Amino acid sequence: MFSENFIWGVASSAYQIEGRDQADGAGACVWDAYCEQGKSYDGADATITCDHMHRYKEDFALMRQLGVKHYRFSISWARLMPEGIGRVNEQAVAMYRDMITEMKKNGITPYITLFHWEYPQALQDQGGWLNEHSPEWFAEYAAVVAENFSDLCEYFFTLNEPQCFTGLGHLSGAHAPGYKLPLQYTFQIVHNVLKAHGMAVLALREHAKHPIKIGYAPTCGVALPATDDPRDVEAAKKVYFGFYSDLDNWTWNVSWFSDPVFLGHYPEEGLKKFAPYLPKITEADMELIAQPIDFMGQNVYNGYLVRAGADGEPEFVKRAPGYAKTACGWPVTPECLYWGPKFLYERYGMPLFITENGMSCHDMVSADGCVHDPNRIEFLDRYLGQVQRALDDGVDLRGYFEWTFLDNFEWEKGYNERFGMVYVDFQTQKRIVKDSAYWYQKVMETNGAILSCNRP
Ligand code: IFM
């Protein structure tokens, strides 16, 4: 069974739900420019999205009704510091303080993510993450967050999915700022991002009003052993922490983003493979990046199969014809929530949170006015069953945050994907609780006892 202290939560991000207000004093972020260029699906933007900035009181009341007690959300850097550094937007301070106070009134513990991709355009105009000062800029922002919110909040995450905002943002160009940069720039960017994480940890601790707890929330598909044969397990582990992605996709990598943070060095295999492209990396950089933190977060959605070939080397196994997929085409592979945490815990030995996991479905309002999403219930039941399996195997998994509370602005996919527990009609802003949210409510209430894996 799940331990009594297991954290059941939900996650969101600022840009995806808040919306804007003409008079809110927020600065532009890179996603505004991306949307203005018509790059997201159907020309969508996040000007209104869920209008959460005007509706958070109702939204937190709904969370309370649904028994949500832990909520991971992000502060928008560009909203809080319109130029990215320097001036602080007092309206944003007031809004986020009120939001957190409101959460707490509803019995909800806040977990703040510092950076979920709302990069200030003013800093992007100075080179963004490629600028050598970018770690200091992020540290300044982290200090402002700690100064203004640490009296209300104990838990912080620095970066959400650095693999995505570096790779999709600067290598493939699929995400804002939409660049396709030469490889050596992308390695410099990632190094700066990791230094920014380290500097933010220092700044958070220095400026916090109380002792706080800090984590980091990277991601990546999980290499799954095709069978339980120990050779397949070894092959999968080798791929999970190895360097099998093509160079033009290189940021889909676990160890390059997590070894420096938790082990204090880049992995040898990567240092060799990437040698021609690497920036100057000093011992002082590595010390900075490896600031002790309290837990590891990992966003986990799916995996791919690997087996040991005849020569013992890993081989990728093709998916079965007609394999199960979510609405956005992601494979349904519940075992990723067993093997991912297991491999991560073995390598890093850190207490672990699943900081995001969930499913986009073809949700619609039925004739009875409800949103029936049996596929999402099935998905979550199976995935959480694998969390249980990892716990039973001794993995120090402390919590799980479902992605996400409200249907929202899904970045380049606009409003084409619905990941929420709560359906949002984007024309009227009406919220309809989906069946899966009532189901998750029971999971939380019973501490996982109603999961199929825990029923006789
Ligand atoms: O919506 C995103 C989130 O912002 C980052 N992780 C994946 C989610 C689903 O695509």
Side-chain angles (χ1 to χ4, degrees):
M1 290 301 289
F2 288 82
S3 84
E4 280 194 4
N5 304 326
F6 191 81
I7 302 292
W8 297 99
V10 298
S12 76
S13 86
Y15 198 74
Q16 292 180 272
I17 61 173
E18 283 177 358
R20 287 290 308 273
D21 184 320
Q22 295 281 359
D24 62 13
C29 85
V30 292
W31 277 95
D32 297 328
Y34 179 96
C35 294
E36 271 160 28
Q37 291 159 29
K39 288 187 176 166
S40 64
Y41 177 80
D42 214 16
D45 65 34
T47 314
I48 301 177
T49 179
C50 307
D51 196 29
H52 180 68
M53 69 173 292
H54 298 115
R55 294 168 194 262
Y56 57 83
K57 289 200 164 78
E58 296 94 297
D59 289 337
F60 297 145
L62 187 56
M63 271 191 198
R64 184 200 185 106
Q65 276 174 36
L66 289 170
V68 175
K69 297 201 169 62
H70 301 273
Y71 179 46
R72 175 176 171 252
F73 66 104
S74 72
I75 301 250
S76 163
W77 182 356
R79 185 188 286 282
L80 188 63
M81 301 178 77
E83 288 84 32
I85 47 176
R87 189 169 65 91
V88 174
N89 174 10
E90 291 305 330
Q91 285 186 72
V93 172
M95 181 184 95
Y96 286 122
R97 285 192 67 81
D98 192 49
M99 265 191 190
I100 300 171
T101 307
E102 199 62 29
M103 280 173 217
K104 294 173 81 160
K105 269 195 219 157
N106 282 287
I108 301 164
T109 304
Y111 297 70
I112 294 179
T113 302
L114 260 59
F115 185 64
H116 198 127
W117 311 355
E118 302 93 354
Y119 199 81
Q121 186 61 45
L123 296 181
Q124 189 60 50
D125 295 342
Q126 297 176 56
W129 290 115
L130 196 50
N131 188 308
E132 61 179 329
H133 298 296
S134 56
E136 293 145 42
W137 297 339
F138 189 58
E140 186 179 331
Y141 162 61
V144 171
V145 171
E147 286 284 350
N148 287 287
F149 310 115
S150 62
D151 58 327
L152 297 173
C153 178
E154 190 186 347
Y155 301 98
F156 294 82
F157 289 93
T158 55
L159 306 170
N160 190 68
E161 298 186 347
Q163 286 90 345
C164 294
F165 70 82
T166 58
L168 297 174
H170 302 83
L171 188 55
S172 73
H175 277 192
Y179 294 157
K180 293 183 182 178
L181 296 179
L183 282 172
Q184 64 266 36
Y185 289 151
T186 63
F187 284 96
Q188 180 71 65
I189 284 172
V190 170
H191 192 57
N192 289 347
V193 162
L194 290 170
K195 282 167 67 180
H197 158 85
M199 287 188 85
V201 173
L202 288 173
L204 281 171
R205 293 217 199 276
E206 186 187 337
H207 293 270
K209 313 261 191 229
H210 299 285
I212 54 169
K213 299 208 163 55
I214 306 178
Y216 167 59
T219 189
C220 216
V222 179
L224 308 169
T227 71
D228 285 346
D229 183 320
R231 285 171 308 165
D232 288 347
V233 174
E234 275 315 302
K237 201 186 300 177
K238 192 167 174 193
V239 171
Y240 192 42
F241 295 112
F243 292 81
Y244 290 79
S245 298
D246 294 337
L247 268 174
D248 57 5
N249 252 331
W250 78 263
T251 66
W252 294 122
N253 186 286
V254 173
S255 57
W256 195 260
F257 286 84
S258 288
D259 282 16
V261 170
F262 298 109
L263 305 179
H265 54 76
Y266 282 110
E268 272 308 314
E269 192 187 340
L271 286 170
K272 277 194 202 119
K273 178 169 176 187
F274 299 148
Y277 312 105
L278 294 181
K280 184 165 173 240
I281 298 169
T282 67
E283 267 180 39
D285 293 346
M286 299 318 294
E287 256 173 53
L288 172 65
I289 295 168
Q291 291 310 308
I293 55 176
D294 302 284
F295 39 79
M296 178 174 199
Q298 189 81 6
N299 295 357
V300 181
Y301 286 90
N302 51 58
Y304 49 92
L305 288 175
V306 173
R307 69 173 165 232
D311 57 358
E313 280 305 301
E315 271 179 13
F316 292 87
V317 179
K318 242 181 115 187
R319 296 188 199 279
Y323 65 90
K325 296 186 191 80
T326 69
C328 62
W330 294 357
V332 176
T333 56
E335 302 75 21
C336 63
L337 276 188
Y338 171 70
W339 290 108
K342 188 174 165 66
F343 288 158
L344 291 169
Y345 187 56
E346 274 175 22
R347 188 172 180 101
Y348 301 116
M350 291 293 292
L352 188 63
F353 282 87
I354 301 303
T355 29
E356 280 184 28
N357 168 253
M359 181 192 196
S360 75
C361 288
H362 293 296
D363 297 319
M364 62 178 188
V365 184
S366 293
D368 61 3
C370 302
V371 178
H372 304 295
D373 56 341
N375 284 348
R376 189 174 280 108
I377 295 176
E378 183 66 31
F379 176 101
L380 293 171
D381 188 41
R382 289 205 214 165
Y383 273 64
L384 287 169
Q386 297 294 320
V387 170
Q388 176 73 77
R389 187 175 160 212
L391 284 165
D392 293 346
D393 245 21
V395 177
D396 187 4
L397 249 177
R398 303 278 173 96
Y400 170 92
F401 291 86
E402 182 180 344
W403 184 266
T404 179
F405 190 62
L406 300 171
D407 289 338
N408 62 29
F409 174 75
E410 181 53 34
W411 308 111
E412 84 284 15
K413 301 191 186 85
Y415 297 96
N416 205 30
E417 300 298 336
R418 292 184 177 273
F419 273 89
M421 293 164 61
V422 175
Y423 182 95
V424 177
D425 178 328
F426 293 104
Q427 276 166 327
T428 61
Q429 290 299 332
K430 185 173 172 195
R431 274 78 164 133
I432 302 174
V433 176
K434 301 180 193 176
D435 288 357
S436 68
Y438 292 120
W439 176 86
Y440 189 52
Q441 178 177 21
K442 287 206 199 89
V443 173
M444 294 188 281
E445 257 169 36
T446 63
N447 199 22
I450 66 142
L451 294 171
S452 300
C453 65
N454 288 330
R455 285 202 308 251

